[in-house]
């Protein structure tokens, strides 16, 4: 290829901003999906905690609220990501994109909320803000929180959250045709 030559443009592909606009859920879908997905993730956590017979109702409420808020915040992000990955593709691709996108967004945002709550609890014993010691405490407290969520929190998505994830991916794939 010569130095001045350029690759031919695909006239059928919308520009990047057009793809993003096309991938975004409508306000109605984002709100309804956030409510339903948040309730499903909160119910999944509640089901497992009740089976485990947690003795502290306040702890159960906090964990269920954390999972519900993580799910609610994750829905529009997961939807957008799934649409970006599956625009113009077959149903199987749409299913896989939705499955991975909703799972990643939900787990990621819930883990982030967990880490923020964990950090706020331990902040009382940390050094003054923006010192070197505080920076180490901040980073390592966050990493420990993420590790603890991975070990103890992910199990709260099974079996209810996994079933909801499978159903949401099927629903997404059927809407994408």
């Amino acid at each position: 290829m010569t130095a001045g030559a350029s690759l031919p443009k695909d006239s059928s592909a919308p520009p990047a901003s057009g793809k993003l606009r096309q991938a975004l859920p409508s306000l109605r879908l984002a709100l309804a999906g956030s409510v339903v997905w948040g309730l499903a993730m909160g119910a999944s956590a509640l089901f497992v905690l009740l089976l485990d017979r947690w003795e502290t109702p306040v702890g159960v409420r906090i964990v269920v609220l954390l999972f519900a808020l993580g799910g609610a915040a994750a829905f529009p992000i997961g939807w957008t990501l799934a649409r970006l990955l599956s625009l113009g593709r077959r149903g199987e691709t749409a299913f896989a994109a939705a499955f991975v996108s909703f799972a990643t967004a939900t787990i990621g945002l819930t883990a982030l909320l967990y880490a923020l709550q964990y950090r706020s609890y331990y902040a009382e014993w940390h050094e003054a803000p923006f010192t070197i010691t505080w920076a180490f405490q901040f980073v390592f407290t966050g990493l420990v929180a993420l590790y603890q969520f991975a070990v103890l929190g992910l199990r709260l998505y099974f079996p209810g959250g996994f079933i909801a994830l499978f159903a949401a991916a099927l629903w997404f794939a059927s809407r994408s045709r």
Side-chain angles (χ1 to χ4, degrees), residues 21-48:
R21 198 172 304 116
Q22 193 177 5
L24 289 171
S26 67
L27 182 60
R28 182 177 174 188
L29 177 63
L31 290 175
S34 291
V35 168
V36 171
W37 192 245
L39 287 173
M41 296 304 103
S44 175
L46 179 63
F47 177 72
V48 175

Side-chain angles (χ1 to χ4, degrees), residues 13-24 84 87:
S17 64
K19 276 187 172 183
L20 181 60
R21 198 172 304 116
Q22 193 177 5
L24 289 171
L84 284 172
L87 272 175

Side-chain angles (χ1 to χ4, degrees), residues 2-177:
T2 62
S6 64
L7 295 174
K9 292 186 178 183
D10 182 10
S11 61
S12 66
S17 64
K19 276 187 172 183
L20 181 60
R21 198 172 304 116
Q22 193 177 5
L24 289 171
S26 67
L27 182 60
R28 182 177 174 188
L29 177 63
L31 290 175
S34 291
V35 168
V36 171
W37 192 245
L39 287 173
M41 296 304 103
S44 175
L46 179 63
F47 177 72
V48 175
L49 293 175
L50 290 177
L51 285 179
D52 285 349
R53 294 191 176 133
W54 266 35
E55 297 294 328
T56 55
V58 172
V60 170
R61 281 193 291 267
I62 290 170
V63 171
V64 169
L65 182 63
L66 198 68
F67 273 69
L69 289 174
F75 182 83
I77 295 168
W79 178 275
T80 303
L81 188 59
R83 290 277 294 168
L84 284 172
L85 294 172
S86 68
L87 272 175
R89 300 224 168 81
R90 296 176 28 190
E92 298 86 4
T93 305
F95 175 83
F99 196 90
V100 170
S101 297
F102 284 126
T104 304
T106 302
I107 291 168
L109 286 172
T110 306
L112 177 65
L113 291 175
Y114 180 81
L116 290 173
Q117 191 279 332
Y118 194 92
R119 164 70 177 96
S120 71
Y121 176 80
Y122 283 104
E124 181 179 341
W125 297 285
H126 285 188
E127 292 294 319
F130 307 111
T131 62
I132 297 287
T133 305
W134 173 86
F136 278 108
Q137 291 170 332
F138 183 84
V139 168
F140 285 102
T141 300
L143 291 173
V144 167
L146 294 176
Y147 171 76
Q148 190 175 37
F149 181 81
V151 171
L152 300 172
L154 289 179
R155 69 186 180 85
L156 300 180
Y157 288 116
F158 295 96
F162 186 76
I163 293 167
L165 177 61
F166 191 81
L170 278 175
W171 174 72
F172 178 86
S174 70
R175 283 185 54 111
S176 296
R177 289 186 201 163

